[in-house]
């Protein structure tokens, strides 16, 4: 069965609609450093406003510990949303308290209210279903909502109160962002145009192992960069000095190397890396062969922070000659300009793909924008890293199933 659409909710004029967005943007103090997720949420909100609904937006931001924490307030995000919608957006400094109740009641048709960070309440992510259901019920009671639109693609792999329970308490439907994201991901899993290349990077191998297992049988090439490459190099017996290494994953990674060989998949590891004297923006650094990291001039203190130029060139050429590419995870510590070149090379190659080039992952999306690329240069920039990976792994996604997806 397909996702229920907003049309299935009937006439929304004058009705209060709860909308779960993913407004989890990176912040520097109260400054939004990448507003991609706010912009991605805009079309669905505009549509609801246009339908005359009274729109109550809920979202999480960062990882507060179930209690209010001003560092993770959604107030600056509500202000940005107001600028984008070019309309006043009200903000309630609580989720299920008096302010939320009063401001929801004061909404006129076509007006928008943003509630404070859902994760300030422990019910949002509680381990037990009971408190999650109670929190969702309080959101419904306080706002007086009679319909729910789920549009936070980045959280559909979570069984959280605002993702899963709200959808069961109210007539519910998927918003346009979720529908768009799924449309693209389906093109990656159903008969992708070949050659099909997946590029993985980022910090944690253990986050991405499932996707490697699932994708190996499907892809033509799998390129590995980022922090996870060192676990691969170590699995091949190389000394990686002080680079990021997940020892408990070595056996699993060896298994993938064997499987790739048996299946004839091109699992491409870097041949050179940028090794630094420490984890710092101004660390000294040099390019060394991937099998000689321990022999850099920094000895056992050396830490690999980016793929090297030869590897960047090789990855870029494989990407450019592919017809379908999915990329998740920066190739290096792109936050430090000296170690952003590998990520830049992969991003540039992705813009040159003759076919479908998809960027998935919060940090990856922030990286390409931070490096000056324009969203429109890519086939698609997904708002959800974990969610898109789990989809590609073939996992069931509770936040989609509850909207009718099978
Ligand atoms: P995404 O959010 O796109 O899924 P991840 O969260 O998996 O990506 O990883 C992003 C992080 O990986 C970045 O903060 C980046 O600095 C880090 N990273 C990339 N390469 C390395 C490396 N060689 N050593 C340590 N961290 C790295
Ligand atoms: Mg990340």
């Amino acid at each position: 069965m397909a996702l229920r659409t907003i049309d299935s909710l009937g006439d929304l004029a004058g009705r209060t609609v709860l909308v779960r967005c993913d407004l989890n943007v990176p912040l520097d103090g109260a400054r939004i450093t990448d507003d991609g997720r706010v912009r991605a949420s805009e079309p669905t909100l505009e549509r609801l406003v246009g339908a005359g609904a009274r729109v109550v937006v809920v979202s999480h931001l960062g990882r507060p510990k179930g209690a209010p924490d001003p560092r993770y307030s959604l107030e600056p995000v509500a202000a940005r949303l107001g600028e984008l919608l070019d309309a006043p957006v009200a903000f309630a400094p609580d989720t299920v308290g008096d302010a939320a109740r009063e401001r929801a009641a004061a909404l006129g048709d076509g007006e928008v209210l943003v509630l404070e960070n859902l994760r300030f309440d422990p019910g949002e992510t509680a381990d037990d279903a009971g408190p999650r259901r109670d929190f969702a019920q309080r959101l419904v009671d306080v706002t007086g909502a009679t319909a729910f639109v789920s549009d936070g693609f980045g959280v559909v792999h979570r069984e959280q109160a605002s993702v899963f329970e709200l959808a069961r308490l109210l007539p519910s439907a998927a918003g346009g962002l979720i529908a768009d994201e799924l449309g693209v991901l389906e093109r990656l899993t159903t008969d992708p145009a070949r050659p099909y290349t997946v590029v993985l990077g980022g910090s944690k191998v253990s986050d991405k192992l499932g996707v490697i297992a699932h994708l190996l049988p499907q892809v033509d090439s799998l390129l590995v960069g980022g922090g996870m490459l060192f676990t691969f190099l170590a699995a091949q017996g190389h000394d990686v000095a002080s680079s990021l290494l997940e020892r408990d994953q070595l056996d699993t990674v060896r298994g993938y190397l064997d499987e790739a060989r048996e299946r004839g998949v091109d699992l491409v590891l870097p041949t050179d890396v940028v090794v630094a004297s420490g984890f710092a923006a101004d660390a000294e650094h040099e390019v060394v062969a991937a099998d000689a990291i321990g022999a850099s001039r920094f000895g056992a203190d050396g830490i690999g922070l980016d793929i090297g130029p030869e590897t960047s060139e090789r990855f870029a050429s494989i990407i450019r000659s592919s017809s379908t590419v999915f990329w998740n995870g920066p190739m290096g510590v792109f936050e430090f300009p000296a170690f952003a070149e590998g990520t830049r090379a992969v991003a540039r190659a992705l813009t040159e793909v003759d076919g479908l080039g998809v960027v998935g992952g919060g940090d990856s999306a922030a990286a390409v924008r931070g490096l000056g690329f324009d969203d429109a240069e890519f086939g698609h920039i997904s708002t959800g890293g974990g969610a898109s990976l789990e989809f590609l792994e073939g996992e069931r996604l509770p936040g989609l199933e509850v909207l009718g997806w099978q």
Side-chain angles (χ1 to χ4, degrees), residues 8 39 84 87 110 115 129 131-132 143 161 182 190 201-202 204 218 226 241 253 400:
S8 74
R39 283 186 281 124
L84 289 169
L115 303 187
R132 291 200 305 263
T143 57
L182 274 182
T190 316
K204 284 190 80 183
Q218 304 179 32
V253 165
L400 294 182

Side-chain angles (χ1 to χ4, degrees), residues 203 207-208 328 330 361-364:
S203 46
D207 283 353
K208 324 244 163 155
N328 171 266
D363 290 293
S364 309

Side-chain angles (χ1 to χ4, degrees), residues 108-190:
D109 296 0
E111 291 182 351
V112 180
L113 164 69
V114 176
L115 303 187
E116 185 51 288
N117 193 339
L118 292 165
R119 291 191 189 166
F120 286 0
D121 191 295
E124 170 68 357
T125 59
D127 289 335
D128 297 329
R132 291 200 305 263
R133 221 167 281 148
D134 291 347
F135 180 54
Q137 185 64 58
R138 278 186 291 141
L139 283 168
V140 174
D141 294 345
V142 162
T143 57
T146 61
F148 174 61
V149 172
S150 183
D151 213 26
F153 180 71
V155 284
V156 292
H157 54 319
R158 307 280 188 214
E159 216 163 282
Q160 294 168 349
S162 67
V163 181
F164 187 72
E165 302 298 344
L166 272 182
R168 302 208 299 179
L169 288 172
L170 291 172
S172 59
L177 176 61
I178 286 190
D180 287 351
E181 294 266 14
L182 274 182
V184 173
L185 289 179
E186 280 194 304
R187 286 173 65 191
L188 295 177
T189 45
T190 316

Side-chain angles (χ1 to χ4, degrees), residues 202-203 208 226-227 230 244 304-305 328-330 332-335 360-364:
S203 46
K208 324 244 163 155
F230 303 100
L244 208 62
L305 294 185
N328 171 266
V333 182
F334 71 92
E335 294 92 337
D363 290 293
S364 309

Side-chain angles (χ1 to χ4, degrees), residues 44-53 55 85 87 109-112:
T44 295
L45 296 177
E46 259 166 5
R47 172 164 175 196
L48 295 170
V49 164
V55 181
L85 292 173
D109 296 0
E111 291 182 351
V112 180

